Amino acid sequence: MPEIWAGVDIGKEHHHCVVIDAQGKRLLSRRILNDETELIQLIADVLELSRDVLWAVDINHGGAALLLGLLVSHDQHITYITGLAIHRASAGYRGQAKTDAKDAFVIADQARMRTDLGVLRPGDEISIDLRTLVTRRTDLVCDRTRQINRMRAQLLEIFPALERSLDLTKKGPVLLLTGYQTPAAIRRAGASRIATWLKNRKVRNSAALARTVMEAAEAQFTALPGEKLAATMVARLAKGVMALDEEITELEALIEARFREHPHAEVIQSLPGMGTMLSAEFLAATGGAMDTFGTADRLAGYAGLAPVPRDSGRVSGNLHRPRRYHRGLLRVFYLSAFASLRNCPASKQFYERKRTPFTGAGRYTPESCCEGQPPTPRPGQVIR
């Protein structure tokens, strides 16, 4: 057991630190600027109170990065309590006021009373780099989806037939919209010229795509109001999507190169359905060290794969999906499970077995559940 506990309420510009002893008495309460000099002075002042201290924070990223880095460099023990847990625990303390000092005290007091909190450990250098790269790639993919949706909405206002016939998730249709957006422009160019234009830009199946857009152009001869400006916006959005595609491709190359440097890269990719991107996301979510979790069950619980019981009184064996888990890690396991169906016979066999209904003797089937039971009458119906 530590002698003192230091709770830090994390903020963007300032933190608030409260130090308490084993009886819950406040030994220090201070507002600190998120600056290296002041944070080092805070650490020194806390260590003067006692060398045996446990630090507790409610945020483990973002504005807390500098403080956590300094604590790690000073060989300090750190634990993490979620902000939701602190918010719920605050309701059990006296008073309804909400201040940084009270939140810091609750963090320190919860760390003092609870013995189930794990020690916060920083990830290895490669996992931290992968977390940065994966987060940036996720932002770009989301931006690309928004751009495509906006492009579809804009195209629908002036040329619904073309919007309906193009798959804008592919490179060829998006590249086409950088040059042709209206029915009149497509008819003037003709299928042959459009096919040549696409072929020169290395678009696959350029002739088929040209025929598709010509059929759409032949279905609409009316020029709608605002068509000229809307066509310009569609072209700008299409160029933006292509620029995002290039940046995503560059990031994926960086992610793959950095992932190959990790000592566990080969082992992780040997798992069914784990490609390079999912493996990188796995390392980014876990920090790269499996000994942090201790057992496979704890890793499954962290990912939200292990059901939790909800028993009360005579009700037992009632399992439900957990509410607190790592969404990104669950996504990795979910996508890898479905990807494994294509190239892993054991996964496919397990999946098919789960989808097969129970038809054995004495087992449940939709037909057998009502055997020997009288029919249930509908309201107003008489059973004869």
Side-chain angles (χ1 to χ4, degrees):
M1 290 290 293
E3 292 183 358
I4 60 174
W5 291 261
V8 184
D9 182 53
I10 301 297
K12 293 181 180 180
E13 297 183 1
H14 294 84
H15 308 321
H16 199 102
C17 178
V18 171
V19 181
I20 62 175
D21 58 11
Q23 287 73 38
K25 180 182 177 181
R26 299 195 188 200
L27 305 179
L28 181 147
S29 180
R30 181 186 303 175
R31 179 180 172 89
I32 320 101
L33 180 67
N34 192 11
D35 179 75
E36 181 178 356
T37 304
E38 292 202 17
L39 293 176
I40 291 177
Q41 184 61 45
L42 171 68
I43 296 173
D45 293 342
V46 173
L47 293 179
E48 284 184 4
L49 298 174
S50 174
R51 307 295 298 184
D52 190 4
V53 55
L54 176 63
W55 296 79
V57 295
D58 61 339
I59 296 178
N60 58 2
H61 62 279
L66 179 58
L67 173 63
L68 296 178
L70 292 173
L71 290 175
V72 171
S73 64
H74 285 76
D75 297 326
Q76 297 297 297
H77 296 286
I78 317 166
T79 189
Y80 166 65
I81 310 176
T82 64
L84 180 61
I86 296 301
H87 174 72
R88 291 176 175 174
S90 297
Y93 288 79
R94 184 177 58 186
Q96 299 181 2
K98 168 71 169 67
T99 62
D100 293 343
K102 180 180 178 181
D103 290 343
F105 174 79
V106 173
I107 294 172
D109 199 39
Q110 288 294 304
R112 178 180 67 90
M113 294 187 296
R114 296 181 57 175
T115 59
D116 60 337
L117 300 176
V119 177
L120 186 63
R121 303 176 183 177
D124 56 68
E125 189 73 18
I126 297 177
S127 298
I128 294 175
D129 291 346
L130 288 175
R131 184 186 309 162
T132 302
L133 294 172
V134 166
T135 302
R136 177 56 181 165
R137 179 182 178 274
T138 302
D139 291 341
L140 292 177
V141 170
C142 293
D143 290 342
R144 182 180 184 273
T145 302
R146 283 190 290 268
Q147 290 268 53
I148 290 176
N149 292 338
R150 182 56 191 151
M151 185 165 52
R152 283 190 175 278
Q154 191 72 71
L155 192 60
L156 187 62
E157 295 180 358
I158 60 171
F159 199 172
L162 185 61
E163 187 274 336
R164 186 170 54 250
S165 60
L166 293 182
D167 183 5
L168 297 182
T169 61
K170 298 182 179 179
K171 178 182 177 181
V174 175
L175 181 60
L176 171 74
L177 292 177
T178 62
Y180 303 94
Q181 306 87 24
T182 62
I186 294 175
R187 286 194 298 269
R188 283 195 304 267
S192 178
R193 182 180 298 177
I194 293 176
T196 304
W197 187 84
L198 292 172
K199 186 176 181 181
N200 292 337
R201 287 159 177 79
K202 299 180 180 180
V203 175
R204 295 180 180 179
N205 300 324
S206 57
L209 181 57
R211 289 193 300 268
T212 300
V213 297
M214 280 301 300
E215 292 175 1
E218 294 295 336
Q220 179 178 334
F221 288 87
T222 303
L224 300 177
E227 181 183 84
K228 185 176 180 180
L229 180 59
T232 304
M233 292 296 103
V234 170
R236 292 172 67 98
L237 288 170
K239 292 177 182 178
V241 171
M242 295 187 61
L244 288 172
D245 286 338
E246 293 179 0
E247 189 171 356
I248 290 173
T249 303
E250 294 176 359
L251 269 178
E252 289 178 348
L254 291 175
I255 291 173
E256 183 173 4
R258 192 63 172 141
F259 170 73
R260 297 296 179 191
E261 299 176 6
H262 198 276
H264 302 324
E266 186 177 352
V267 176
I268 295 173
Q269 281 209 298
S270 66
L271 299 174
M274 293 292 284
T276 303
M277 292 300 114
L278 290 180
S279 300
E281 292 181 19
F282 175 79
L283 287 177
T286 58
M290 295 297 100
D291 55 352
T292 304
F293 300 96
T295 63
D297 293 338
R298 292 189 64 182
L299 176 61
Y302 181 67
L305 298 175
V308 295
R310 183 182 290 173
D311 299 340
S312 179
R314 298 181 179 180
V315 178
S316 61
N318 184 20
L319 303 177
H320 70 100
R321 182 178 179 178
R323 295 182 179 179
R324 294 179 294 175
Y325 55 90
H326 195 288
R327 267 64 178 174
L329 191 57
L330 178 63
R331 174 183 177 275
V332 170
F333 287 127
Y334 179 83
L335 294 179
S336 63
F338 276 95
S340 66
L341 299 179
R342 296 193 299 266
N343 51 25
C344 180
S347 298
K348 186 174 182 180
Q349 182 180 3
F350 178 80
Y351 178 72
E352 294 297 337
R353 180 165 61 86
K354 286 295 184 180
R355 286 179 57 89
T356 303
F358 291 101
T359 57
R363 295 184 178 180
Y364 167 83
T365 61
E367 295 79 11
S368 65
C369 67
C370 297
E371 289 181 359
Q373 299 293 330
T376 303
R378 296 189 298 273
Q381 180 184 10
V382 178
I383 302 298
R384 299 183 184 274

Short mmCIF file of all heavy atoms in Angstrom, two decimals, residues 319-364:
data_model
loop_
_atom_site.label_atom_id
_atom_site.label_comp_id
_atom_site.label_asym_id
_atom_site.label_seq_id
_atom_site.Cartn_x
_atom_site.Cartn_y
_atom_site.Cartn_z
N LEU A 319 -26.76 -13.28 -19.08
CA LEU A 319 -25.58 -12.62 -19.61
C LEU A 319 -26.00 -11.53 -20.60
O LEU A 319 -27.00 -11.66 -21.30
CB LEU A 319 -24.67 -13.63 -20.31
CG LEU A 319 -24.19 -14.81 -19.46
CD1 LEU A 319 -23.36 -15.76 -20.30
CD2 LEU A 319 -23.40 -14.32 -18.26
N HIS A 320 -25.22 -10.48 -20.63
CA HIS A 320 -25.50 -9.40 -21.58
C HIS A 320 -24.19 -8.80 -22.05
O HIS A 320 -23.12 -9.07 -21.51
CB HIS A 320 -26.39 -8.33 -20.92
CG HIS A 320 -25.69 -7.53 -19.86
ND1 HIS A 320 -25.18 -6.28 -20.08
CD2 HIS A 320 -25.41 -7.82 -18.56
CE1 HIS A 320 -24.62 -5.83 -18.96
NE2 HIS A 320 -24.75 -6.75 -18.03
N ARG A 321 -24.30 -7.98 -23.07
CA ARG A 321 -23.12 -7.35 -23.66
C ARG A 321 -22.60 -6.27 -22.72
O ARG A 321 -23.36 -5.46 -22.19
CB ARG A 321 -23.48 -6.74 -25.00
CG ARG A 321 -22.33 -6.10 -25.74
CD ARG A 321 -22.79 -5.58 -27.09
NE ARG A 321 -21.71 -4.95 -27.82
CZ ARG A 321 -21.84 -4.43 -29.04
NH1 ARG A 321 -23.02 -4.50 -29.64
NH2 ARG A 321 -20.82 -3.88 -29.66
N PRO A 322 -21.30 -6.19 -22.53
CA PRO A 322 -20.76 -5.15 -21.64
C PRO A 322 -20.93 -3.77 -22.24
O PRO A 322 -21.05 -3.61 -23.46
CB PRO A 322 -19.28 -5.54 -21.49
CG PRO A 322 -18.98 -6.30 -22.73
CD PRO A 322 -20.23 -7.05 -23.07
N ARG A 323 -20.93 -2.77 -21.39
CA ARG A 323 -21.05 -1.39 -21.84
C ARG A 323 -19.72 -0.68 -21.90
O ARG A 323 -19.56 0.30 -22.64
CB ARG A 323 -21.98 -0.62 -20.90
CG ARG A 323 -23.42 -1.14 -20.90
CD ARG A 323 -24.30 -0.30 -19.99
NE ARG A 323 -25.68 -0.76 -19.99
CZ ARG A 323 -26.65 -0.22 -19.25
NH1 ARG A 323 -26.37 0.81 -18.45
NH2 ARG A 323 -27.88 -0.69 -19.31
N ARG A 324 -18.76 -1.13 -21.13
CA ARG A 324 -17.44 -0.48 -21.09
C ARG A 324 -16.42 -1.39 -21.75
O ARG A 324 -16.12 -2.47 -21.22
CB ARG A 324 -17.04 -0.16 -19.65
CG ARG A 324 -17.91 0.88 -18.99
CD ARG A 324 -17.47 1.13 -17.58
NE ARG A 324 -17.67 -0.03 -16.72
CZ ARG A 324 -17.29 -0.11 -15.46
NH1 ARG A 324 -16.65 0.89 -14.91
NH2 ARG A 324 -17.51 -1.21 -14.76
N TYR A 325 -15.94 -1.00 -22.89
CA TYR A 325 -14.93 -1.76 -23.61
C TYR A 325 -14.29 -0.84 -24.65
O TYR A 325 -14.76 0.28 -24.88
CB TYR A 325 -15.55 -3.00 -24.29
CG TYR A 325 -16.71 -2.71 -25.21
CD1 TYR A 325 -16.50 -2.44 -26.56
CD2 TYR A 325 -18.00 -2.69 -24.73
CE1 TYR A 325 -17.56 -2.16 -27.39
CE2 TYR A 325 -19.07 -2.42 -25.55
CZ TYR A 325 -18.84 -2.16 -26.89
OH TYR A 325 -19.89 -1.87 -27.73
N HIS A 326 -13.24 -1.33 -25.27
CA HIS A 326 -12.51 -0.55 -26.27
C HIS A 326 -13.17 -0.76 -27.63
O HIS A 326 -13.10 -1.84 -28.21
CB HIS A 326 -11.04 -0.98 -26.30
CG HIS A 326 -10.15 -0.02 -27.01
ND1 HIS A 326 -10.17 0.15 -28.37
CD2 HIS A 326 -9.22 0.85 -26.54
CE1 HIS A 326 -9.28 1.06 -28.72
NE2 HIS A 326 -8.69 1.50 -27.62
N ARG A 327 -13.81 0.29 -28.14
CA ARG A 327 -14.53 0.17 -29.41
C ARG A 327 -13.61 -0.16 -30.57
O ARG A 327 -13.96 -0.96 -31.45
CB ARG A 327 -15.28 1.46 -29.72
CG ARG A 327 -16.72 1.53 -29.24
CD ARG A 327 -16.85 1.48 -27.75
NE ARG A 327 -18.24 1.59 -27.32
CZ ARG A 327 -18.63 1.45 -26.08
NH1 ARG A 327 -17.74 1.21 -25.12
NH2 ARG A 327 -19.91 1.54 -25.75
N GLY A 328 -12.43 0.45 -30.59
CA GLY A 328 -11.50 0.19 -31.69
C GLY A 328 -11.00 -1.24 -31.70
O GLY A 328 -10.87 -1.86 -32.77
N LEU A 329 -10.74 -1.81 -30.51
CA LEU A 329 -10.27 -3.19 -30.45
C LEU A 329 -11.38 -4.16 -30.82
O LEU A 329 -11.13 -5.18 -31.49
CB LEU A 329 -9.75 -3.49 -29.05
CG LEU A 329 -8.98 -4.80 -28.87
CD1 LEU A 329 -7.79 -4.86 -29.81
CD2 LEU A 329 -8.52 -4.94 -27.42
N LEU A 330 -12.62 -3.86 -30.44
CA LEU A 330 -13.74 -4.71 -30.85
C LEU A 330 -13.90 -4.69 -32.37
O LEU A 330 -14.19 -5.72 -32.98
CB LEU A 330 -15.02 -4.23 -30.18
CG LEU A 330 -16.29 -4.99 -30.56
CD1 LEU A 330 -16.20 -6.45 -30.13
CD2 LEU A 330 -17.53 -4.34 -29.96
N ARG A 331 -13.70 -3.52 -32.98
CA ARG A 331 -13.78 -3.44 -34.44
C ARG A 331 -12.73 -4.32 -35.10
O ARG A 331 -13.00 -4.98 -36.12
CB ARG A 331 -13.61 -1.98 -34.87
CG ARG A 331 -13.54 -1.77 -36.37
CD ARG A 331 -13.29 -0.31 -36.72
NE ARG A 331 -13.14 -0.14 -38.15
CZ ARG A 331 -12.03 -0.29 -38.82
NH1 ARG A 331 -10.92 -0.64 -38.17
NH2 ARG A 331 -11.98 -0.11 -40.12
N VAL A 332 -11.52 -4.34 -34.54
CA VAL A 332 -10.45 -5.17 -35.10
C VAL A 332 -10.85 -6.64 -35.09
O VAL A 332 -10.73 -7.35 -36.10
CB VAL A 332 -9.14 -4.95 -34.32
CG1 VAL A 332 -8.09 -5.99 -34.72
CG2 VAL A 332 -8.61 -3.55 -34.56
N PHE A 333 -11.34 -7.12 -33.96
CA PHE A 333 -11.72 -8.53 -33.86
C PHE A 333 -12.94 -8.85 -34.71
O PHE A 333 -13.04 -9.94 -35.28
CB PHE A 333 -11.98 -8.89 -32.40
CG PHE A 333 -10.74 -8.99 -31.57
CD1 PHE A 333 -10.62 -8.28 -30.39
CD2 PHE A 333 -9.68 -9.78 -31.97
CE1 PHE A 333 -9.46 -8.37 -29.62
CE2 PHE A 333 -8.52 -9.88 -31.21
CZ PHE A 333 -8.42 -9.17 -30.04
N TYR A 334 -13.87 -7.92 -34.81
CA TYR A 334 -15.08 -8.15 -35.61
C TYR A 334 -14.72 -8.29 -37.10
O TYR A 334 -15.16 -9.23 -37.77
CB TYR A 334 -16.05 -6.99 -35.39
CG TYR A 334 -17.32 -7.08 -36.19
CD1 TYR A 334 -18.39 -7.85 -35.74
CD2 TYR A 334 -17.47 -6.41 -37.39
CE1 TYR A 334 -19.56 -7.94 -36.45
CE2 TYR A 334 -18.64 -6.48 -38.12
CZ TYR A 334 -19.69 -7.25 -37.65
OH TYR A 334 -20.85 -7.33 -38.38
N LEU A 335 -13.92 -7.35 -37.61
CA LEU A 335 -13.55 -7.40 -39.02
C LEU A 335 -12.64 -8.59 -39.32
O LEU A 335 -12.77 -9.22 -40.38
CB LEU A 335 -12.87 -6.09 -39.42
CG LEU A 335 -13.74 -4.84 -39.38
CD1 LEU A 335 -12.93 -3.62 -39.79
CD2 LEU A 335 -14.95 -4.99 -40.30
N SER A 336 -11.73 -8.90 -38.41
CA SER A 336 -10.84 -10.04 -38.66
C SER A 336 -11.61 -11.35 -38.64
O SER A 336 -11.28 -12.29 -39.38
CB SER A 336 -9.72 -10.07 -37.61
OG SER A 336 -10.26 -10.26 -36.31
N ALA A 337 -12.66 -11.44 -37.81
CA ALA A 337 -13.46 -12.67 -37.77
C ALA A 337 -14.16 -12.91 -39.10
O ALA A 337 -14.18 -14.04 -39.61
CB ALA A 337 -14.48 -12.58 -36.63
N PHE A 338 -14.72 -11.87 -39.69
CA PHE A 338 -15.39 -12.05 -40.97
C PHE A 338 -14.40 -12.23 -42.11
O PHE A 338 -14.67 -12.94 -43.08
CB PHE A 338 -16.31 -10.86 -41.25
CG PHE A 338 -17.66 -10.99 -40.61
CD1 PHE A 338 -17.89 -10.41 -39.38
CD2 PHE A 338 -18.67 -11.70 -41.21
CE1 PHE A 338 -19.12 -10.54 -38.75
CE2 PHE A 338 -19.91 -11.84 -40.61
CZ PHE A 338 -20.14 -11.25 -39.37
N ALA A 339 -13.23 -11.59 -42.01
CA ALA A 339 -12.21 -11.79 -43.04
C ALA A 339 -11.66 -13.21 -43.01
O ALA A 339 -11.27 -13.76 -44.05
CB ALA A 339 -11.07 -10.78 -42.86
N SER A 340 -11.63 -13.84 -41.83
CA SER A 340 -11.11 -15.20 -41.71
C SER A 340 -12.00 -16.23 -42.38
O SER A 340 -11.56 -17.34 -42.66
CB SER A 340 -10.92 -15.57 -40.23
OG SER A 340 -12.18 -15.64 -39.57
N LEU A 341 -13.26 -15.87 -42.67
CA LEU A 341 -14.16 -16.83 -43.31
C LEU A 341 -13.72 -17.16 -44.74
O LEU A 341 -14.08 -18.21 -45.27
CB LEU A 341 -15.58 -16.26 -43.34
CG LEU A 341 -16.23 -15.97 -41.98
CD1 LEU A 341 -17.62 -15.40 -42.17
CD2 LEU A 341 -16.27 -17.22 -41.14
N ARG A 342 -12.92 -16.27 -45.35
CA ARG A 342 -12.51 -16.49 -46.75
C ARG A 342 -11.32 -17.43 -46.87
O ARG A 342 -11.18 -18.10 -47.89
CB ARG A 342 -12.19 -15.14 -47.40
CG ARG A 342 -13.38 -14.21 -47.52
CD ARG A 342 -13.07 -13.07 -48.45
NE ARG A 342 -11.95 -12.27 -47.96
CZ ARG A 342 -12.10 -11.17 -47.22
NH1 ARG A 342 -13.31 -10.77 -46.86
NH2 ARG A 342 -11.05 -10.48 -46.81
N ASN A 343 -10.45 -17.46 -45.86
CA ASN A 343 -9.21 -18.22 -46.03
C ASN A 343 -8.87 -19.13 -44.85
O ASN A 343 -7.79 -19.70 -44.81
CB ASN A 343 -8.02 -17.26 -46.26
CG ASN A 343 -7.97 -16.16 -45.22
OD1 ASN A 343 -8.47 -16.32 -44.11
ND2 ASN A 343 -7.38 -15.03 -45.59
N CYS A 344 -9.78 -19.26 -43.89
CA CYS A 344 -9.53 -20.13 -42.74
C CYS A 344 -10.66 -21.16 -42.65
O CYS A 344 -11.79 -20.80 -42.26
CB CYS A 344 -9.44 -19.31 -41.45
SG CYS A 344 -9.15 -20.31 -39.96
N PRO A 345 -10.41 -22.42 -43.00
CA PRO A 345 -11.47 -23.44 -42.96
C PRO A 345 -12.07 -23.63 -41.58
O PRO A 345 -13.28 -23.84 -41.44
CB PRO A 345 -10.76 -24.70 -43.44
CG PRO A 345 -9.57 -24.22 -44.21
CD PRO A 345 -9.15 -22.96 -43.54
N ALA A 346 -11.25 -23.55 -40.53
CA ALA A 346 -11.78 -23.74 -39.18
C ALA A 346 -12.76 -22.63 -38.81
O ALA A 346 -13.82 -22.89 -38.21
CB ALA A 346 -10.63 -23.78 -38.18
N SER A 347 -12.44 -21.40 -39.17
CA SER A 347 -13.35 -20.28 -38.88
C SER A 347 -14.64 -20.42 -39.67
O SER A 347 -15.74 -20.17 -39.14
CB SER A 347 -12.67 -18.95 -39.21
OG SER A 347 -11.52 -18.76 -38.42
N LYS A 348 -14.53 -20.81 -40.92
CA LYS A 348 -15.73 -20.97 -41.74
C LYS A 348 -16.61 -22.09 -41.20
O LYS A 348 -17.84 -21.98 -41.16
CB LYS A 348 -15.34 -21.25 -43.19
CG LYS A 348 -16.52 -21.29 -44.14
CD LYS A 348 -16.06 -21.43 -45.58
CE LYS A 348 -17.26 -21.40 -46.51
NZ LYS A 348 -16.84 -21.54 -47.94
N GLN A 349 -15.99 -23.19 -40.78
CA GLN A 349 -16.76 -24.31 -40.23
C GLN A 349 -17.46 -23.89 -38.94
O GLN A 349 -18.63 -24.24 -38.72
CB GLN A 349 -15.83 -25.49 -39.97
CG GLN A 349 -16.54 -26.73 -39.44
CD GLN A 349 -15.57 -27.86 -39.20
OE1 GLN A 349 -14.36 -27.72 -39.36
NE2 GLN A 349 -16.09 -29.02 -38.80
N PHE A 350 -16.79 -23.16 -38.08
CA PHE A 350 -17.40 -22.69 -36.84
C PHE A 350 -18.56 -21.74 -37.13
O PHE A 350 -19.62 -21.81 -36.49
CB PHE A 350 -16.34 -21.98 -35.98
CG PHE A 350 -16.87 -21.41 -34.70
CD1 PHE A 350 -17.06 -22.23 -33.59
CD2 PHE A 350 -17.18 -20.06 -34.59
CE1 PHE A 350 -17.55 -21.70 -32.40
CE2 PHE A 350 -17.65 -19.53 -33.41
CZ PHE A 350 -17.84 -20.36 -32.31
N TYR A 351 -18.38 -20.86 -38.12
CA TYR A 351 -19.43 -19.90 -38.48
C TYR A 351 -20.67 -20.62 -39.02
O TYR A 351 -21.81 -20.31 -38.64
CB TYR A 351 -18.88 -18.93 -39.52
CG TYR A 351 -19.89 -17.91 -40.01
CD1 TYR A 351 -20.31 -16.86 -39.20
CD2 TYR A 351 -20.41 -18.00 -41.29
CE1 TYR A 351 -21.22 -15.92 -39.64
CE2 TYR A 351 -21.33 -17.06 -41.76
CZ TYR A 351 -21.73 -16.03 -40.93
OH TYR A 351 -22.63 -15.10 -41.39
N GLU A 352 -20.45 -21.60 -39.90
CA GLU A 352 -21.58 -22.35 -40.45
C GLU A 352 -22.29 -23.15 -39.37
O GLU A 352 -23.52 -23.28 -39.39
CB GLU A 352 -21.09 -23.27 -41.56
CG GLU A 352 -20.55 -22.55 -42.79
CD GLU A 352 -21.62 -21.73 -43.49
OE1 GLU A 352 -22.82 -22.05 -43.31
OE2 GLU A 352 -21.28 -20.77 -44.20
N ARG A 353 -21.54 -23.69 -38.42
CA ARG A 353 -22.16 -24.45 -37.34
C ARG A 353 -23.03 -23.55 -36.47
O ARG A 353 -24.11 -23.97 -36.01
CB ARG A 353 -21.09 -25.12 -36.49
CG ARG A 353 -21.63 -25.94 -35.33
CD ARG A 353 -20.56 -26.87 -34.76
NE ARG A 353 -19.43 -26.13 -34.24
CZ ARG A 353 -19.37 -25.62 -33.00
NH1 ARG A 353 -20.40 -25.80 -32.19
NH2 ARG A 353 -18.31 -24.97 -32.59
N LYS A 354 -22.60 -22.32 -36.25
CA LYS A 354 -23.39 -21.40 -35.45
C LYS A 354 -24.66 -20.97 -36.19
O LYS A 354 -25.68 -20.67 -35.56
CB LYS A 354 -22.56 -20.17 -35.09
CG LYS A 354 -21.52 -20.43 -34.02
CD LYS A 354 -22.16 -20.79 -32.70
CE LYS A 354 -21.14 -20.97 -31.61
NZ LYS A 354 -21.77 -21.32 -30.31
N ARG A 355 -24.60 -20.92 -37.51
CA ARG A 355 -25.76 -20.50 -38.29
C ARG A 355 -26.75 -21.63 -38.51
O ARG A 355 -27.91 -21.39 -38.88
CB ARG A 355 -25.32 -19.96 -39.64
CG ARG A 355 -24.68 -18.59 -39.57
CD ARG A 355 -24.25 -18.13 -40.95
NE ARG A 355 -25.37 -18.11 -41.86
CZ ARG A 355 -26.19 -17.07 -42.06
NH1 ARG A 355 -26.00 -15.97 -41.35
NH2 ARG A 355 -27.17 -17.12 -42.92
N THR A 356 -26.32 -22.88 -38.33
CA THR A 356 -27.20 -24.02 -38.57
C THR A 356 -28.20 -24.13 -37.44
O THR A 356 -27.82 -24.14 -36.26
CB THR A 356 -26.38 -25.31 -38.66
OG1 THR A 356 -25.40 -25.17 -39.70
CG2 THR A 356 -27.29 -26.50 -38.98
N PRO A 357 -29.51 -24.25 -37.74
CA PRO A 357 -30.51 -24.37 -36.66
C PRO A 357 -30.41 -25.70 -35.97
O PRO A 357 -29.88 -26.68 -36.52
CB PRO A 357 -31.84 -24.22 -37.41
CG PRO A 357 -31.54 -24.66 -38.81
CD PRO A 357 -30.12 -24.23 -39.08
N PHE A 358 -30.90 -25.77 -34.74
CA PHE A 358 -30.91 -27.00 -33.96
C PHE A 358 -32.04 -27.90 -34.49
O PHE A 358 -33.22 -27.60 -34.31
CB PHE A 358 -31.14 -26.71 -32.47
CG PHE A 358 -29.98 -26.00 -31.83
CD1 PHE A 358 -30.02 -24.64 -31.62
CD2 PHE A 358 -28.85 -26.70 -31.46
CE1 PHE A 358 -28.95 -23.99 -31.03
CE2 PHE A 358 -27.78 -26.05 -30.87
CZ PHE A 358 -27.83 -24.70 -30.65
N THR A 359 -31.65 -28.99 -35.14
CA THR A 359 -32.65 -29.90 -35.71
C THR A 359 -32.50 -31.31 -35.18
O THR A 359 -33.15 -32.22 -35.66
CB THR A 359 -32.53 -29.93 -37.25
OG1 THR A 359 -31.19 -30.31 -37.60
CG2 THR A 359 -32.83 -28.57 -37.85
N GLY A 360 -31.63 -31.52 -34.20
CA GLY A 360 -31.43 -32.86 -33.66
C GLY A 360 -32.61 -33.30 -32.81
O GLY A 360 -33.51 -32.53 -32.47
N ALA A 361 -32.60 -34.58 -32.46
CA ALA A 361 -33.68 -35.14 -31.67
C ALA A 361 -33.71 -34.48 -30.29
O ALA A 361 -32.68 -34.40 -29.62
CB ALA A 361 -33.52 -36.65 -31.53
N GLY A 362 -34.86 -34.05 -29.89
CA GLY A 362 -35.01 -33.45 -28.57
C GLY A 362 -34.53 -32.03 -28.48
O GLY A 362 -34.55 -31.45 -27.40
N ARG A 363 -34.07 -31.45 -29.60
CA ARG A 363 -33.59 -30.08 -29.55
C ARG A 363 -34.66 -29.12 -30.06
O ARG A 363 -35.65 -29.51 -30.68
CB ARG A 363 -32.31 -29.94 -30.40
CG ARG A 363 -31.14 -30.74 -29.83
CD ARG A 363 -29.90 -30.50 -30.64
NE ARG A 363 -28.76 -31.22 -30.09
CZ ARG A 363 -27.55 -31.18 -30.61
NH1 ARG A 363 -27.31 -30.47 -31.69
NH2 ARG A 363 -26.57 -31.86 -30.05
N TYR A 364 -34.40 -27.86 -29.84
CA TYR A 364 -35.38 -26.84 -30.18
C TYR A 364 -35.42 -26.61 -31.68
O TYR A 364 -34.39 -26.50 -32.34
CB TYR A 364 -35.03 -25.53 -29.48
CG TYR A 364 -35.82 -24.34 -30.00
CD1 TYR A 364 -37.09 -24.10 -29.53
CD2 TYR A 364 -35.27 -23.50 -30.97
CE1 TYR A 364 -37.81 -23.02 -30.01
CE2 TYR A 364 -35.99 -22.43 -31.45
CZ TYR A 364 -37.26 -22.19 -30.96
OH TYR A 364 -37.96 -21.13 -31.44
#
